[in-house]
């Protein structure tokens, strides 16, 4: 369990569009973190039929494999496929980039991976900008 003083693993990144969502993921994703992300996305789907999504992986250290294979996680992933138009993953480890490439032909969403240095291209691809707070 993480100490109370640590930065949250999932942080929402404000964007200039109501239907563009972005998250920074830092560290190791627990089951609760995964449910938090899907909960935020479910709220977005209530407002918008289709959204664009950017996920920035800063210091990503993996995820709870048990959470990835829970029935509730599969259901949330399934619902997400109906609502995501474009999905950009920035700073992904090689295995995530490879997995995304292998899954693309089977998904109805457009998905691209970018290196951390290519983040500006990812924002341009989803046609959104980060709003600095």
């Amino acid at each position: 369990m993480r100490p109370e003083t640590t930065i949250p693993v999932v942080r929402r990144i404000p964007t200039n569009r109501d239907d563009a969502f972005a998250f920074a993921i830092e560290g190791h994703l627990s089951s609760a973190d995964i449910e938090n992300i899907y909960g935020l996305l479910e709220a977005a789907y209530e407002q918008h039929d289709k959204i664009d999504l950017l996920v920035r992986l800063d210091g990503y250290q993996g995820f709870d494999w048990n959470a990835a294979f829970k029935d509730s996680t599969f259901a949330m992933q399934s619902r997400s496929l109906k609502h995501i138009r474009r999905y950009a993953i920035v700073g992904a480890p090689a295995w995530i980039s490879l997995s995304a490439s292998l899954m693309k032909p089977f998904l109805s969403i457009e998905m691209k991976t970018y290196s951390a240095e290519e983040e500006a291209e990812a924002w341009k691809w989803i046609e959104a900008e980060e709003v600095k707070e």
Side-chain angles (χ1 to χ4, degrees), residues 16-105:
N16 66 329
R17 286 185 24 226
D18 287 345
D19 63 343
F21 292 82
F23 298 97
I25 298 176
E26 304 168 0
H28 182 84
L29 279 174
S30 69
S31 179
D33 296 322
I34 292 169
E35 288 181 22
N36 179 35
I37 291 170
Y38 282 116
L40 292 169
L41 290 174
E42 288 288 331
Y45 307 150
E46 292 293 321
Q47 299 288 318
H48 307 281
D49 185 48
K50 294 285 185 181
I51 67 167
D52 294 316
L53 177 64
L54 181 141
V55 174
R56 178 192 303 150
L57 301 173
D58 292 328
Y60 175 72
Q61 298 172 358
F63 62 92
D64 180 353
W65 283 93
N66 291 331
F69 295 106
K70 286 172 52 175
D71 288 342
S72 60
T73 303
F74 281 129
M76 289 183 279
Q77 288 170 345
S78 190
R79 280 193 298 277
S80 290
L81 292 175
K82 297 174 188 170
H83 295 283
I84 296 175
R85 188 176 26 242
R86 287 189 168 176
Y87 179 20
I89 305 169
V90 177
W95 71 268
I96 290 179
S97 295
L98 178 61
S99 296
S101 294
L102 293 172
M103 290 177 6
K104 265 197 260 188

